[in-house]
Amino acid sequence: MSDPQSARSVADREATEWHVRLGERPVSAETLAAFKAWRATPANAEAYQRVETLWRSSGSLSGDRDIQKLTGDTLRASRPSKGRARSRLIPVLAVLAPVVVATVALTLWLPTRGLHETQVGEFRSVRLEDGTQVRLDTDTRLKVRFDGGQRRIFLEQGQALFEVAHDADRPFRVVAGETEVTALGTVFDVRREPAGARVTLVQGAVAVTETGAGDARRWRLGPGQQVETARANAAPRAVDPAVATSWSEGRLIFRGAPLSEAVDEVNRYLPQKIVLAPGPDADVPVNGVFETGDREAFVSAVTDLFGLTAEPRADGGVRLSRSAGG
């Protein structure tokens, strides 16, 4: 039985060689005929397409300082010693080196290019190459992909506030699952949720698209509006942007939020969580301002206000429940 992986390796090697041959001028009619016959095999055609895609990607990244450094490091690391070098390999290596190095460099580099993340309770502020400022909330992971006329951010988890640098020729898009937010120059907040995303506009205008089951749904937000795309009848609603984005200043502002929701929000910043006992206390409205990560202050406030008892848990967390006789 033939080894599919080995066959693919052969096809990839031959595709690389063909790419080099076709890049040399002039190209004879015999060479073109031979290439056409070789590419008639589907596996070969797919291999050549992979090489061409890689070549275009490496070309678009040639000016990137990170990829230049990685390419140089790869060349130095792969350079054979004089004693082992063979003169008959030099011409082949000379023409294949750009492709091979690009392959190695891109394979190592692209998966983590533009990756930004935070741990639980951590915040980060990053400036992108276009001048856009991004503030990452707790436990957030996003990837940046700028390519030609595209500026794309993939929010894999968590929440981020974007202050987008204006560029009319390159729309700025944030993808959070099946939700996509498009802006030119504006300030907006996106939180990735188990289903969909919550988008809050602070300044400017954004278009929001959700491409889940069925037809795509679209909304356009104005300043002070928010949409939660997972809702069946989702529609923009008015919110206070200062409250919705208070996390970016290290604060959580609650205005009539049910206690259960307030606990969930506080827990996002805590390695050891607060557990609220089931019961009517879950719907008690909470008002106040708390520093993110300050569990003690939050627990002290709600126990005093609502007559709750705080009990330590074995895992380091704390359980809130109704006091006996309360």
Side-chain angles (χ1 to χ4, degrees):
M1 176 180 285
S2 61
D3 182 359
Q5 189 63 37
S6 176
R8 173 166 173 163
S9 297
V10 171
D12 285 341
R13 176 179 55 77
E14 292 177 348
T16 301
E17 293 171 351
W18 273 114
H19 193 275
V20 172
R21 288 179 65 184
L22 295 175
E24 298 174 341
R25 296 292 186 268
V27 179
S28 69
E30 291 80 4
T31 297
L32 289 175
F35 171 67
K36 184 177 180 180
W38 174 83
R39 198 174 58 175
T41 302
N44 292 344
E46 292 174 5
Y48 193 79
Q49 182 60 48
R50 285 194 295 272
V51 171
E52 283 214 309
T53 300
L54 176 62
W55 190 266
R56 287 194 297 269
S57 298
S58 64
S60 67
L61 296 171
S62 61
D64 191 289
R65 285 176 295 180
D66 290 333
I67 199 66
Q68 287 176 344
K69 180 179 184 300
L70 184 54
T71 300
D73 292 345
T74 305
L75 278 171
R76 285 189 292 273
S78 61
R79 185 174 294 137
S81 63
K82 292 182 180 179
R84 298 174 59 189
R86 299 181 181 179
S87 59
R88 65 184 179 87
L89 291 179
I90 292 177
V92 177
L93 290 175
V95 293
L96 291 183
V99 177
V100 174
V101 171
T103 301
V104 174
L106 286 171
T107 299
L108 294 173
W109 183 70
L110 279 179
T112 58
R113 185 188 182 216
L115 173 63
H116 303 285
E117 56 189 335
T118 56
Q119 304 301 314
V120 173
E122 180 187 6
F123 298 90
R124 280 190 66 193
S125 181
V126 297
R127 182 182 178 87
L128 305 184
E129 62 184 69
D130 67 336
T132 293
Q133 292 281 354
V134 184
R135 277 176 266 184
L136 284 70
D137 197 5
T138 177
D139 196 20
T140 293
R141 178 185 175 93
L142 60 81
K143 292 180 180 177
V144 179
R145 294 290 182 267
F146 285 7
D147 181 16
Q150 296 279 348
R151 293 186 293 170
R152 296 173 73 84
I153 305 292
F154 295 89
L155 182 62
E156 298 184 345
Q157 67 184 51
Q159 183 170 4
L161 179 67
F162 301 90
E163 298 181 39
V164 180
H166 181 79
D167 186 341
D169 295 327
R170 294 196 302 166
F172 188 95
R173 294 184 171 90
V174 176
V175 180
E178 295 176 335
T179 298
E180 182 171 286
V181 186
T182 303
L184 289 176
T186 187
V187 181
F188 63 97
D189 180 286
V190 182
R191 177 186 289 193
R192 180 78 182 264
E193 297 183 331
R198 190 184 74 188
V199 183
T200 305
L201 182 63
V202 178
Q203 175 184 316
V206 296
V208 182
T209 304
E210 192 269 335
T211 57
D215 296 334
R217 296 185 296 165
R218 296 177 175 82
W219 305 269
R220 186 175 180 84
L221 302 185
Q225 289 189 316
Q226 181 183 91
V227 65
E228 296 182 65
T229 64
R231 294 181 179 273
N233 299 312
R237 64 187 183 95
V239 297
D240 184 342
V243 174
T245 63
S246 61
W247 64 266
S248 65
E249 298 178 351
R251 299 178 299 148
L252 296 177
I253 301 176
F254 299 117
R255 294 180 180 170
L259 178 57
S260 59
E261 291 184 11
V263 168
D264 288 343
E265 189 67 15
V266 171
N267 276 340
R268 295 179 62 233
Y269 303 87
L270 302 176
Q272 285 83 38
K273 311 296 184 183
I274 301 170
V275 177
L276 180 62
D281 293 315
D283 296 323
V284 173
V286 176
N287 294 280
V289 180
F290 302 91
E291 291 187 11
T292 55
D294 192 345
R295 188 182 73 177
E296 183 178 349
F298 180 81
V299 169
S300 177
V302 297
T303 53
D304 289 345
L305 288 171
F306 307 129
L308 302 178
T309 297
E311 304 173 57
R313 290 164 50 91
D315 61 4
V318 62
R319 184 176 188 271
L320 298 178
S321 60
R322 173 61 53 182
S323 302

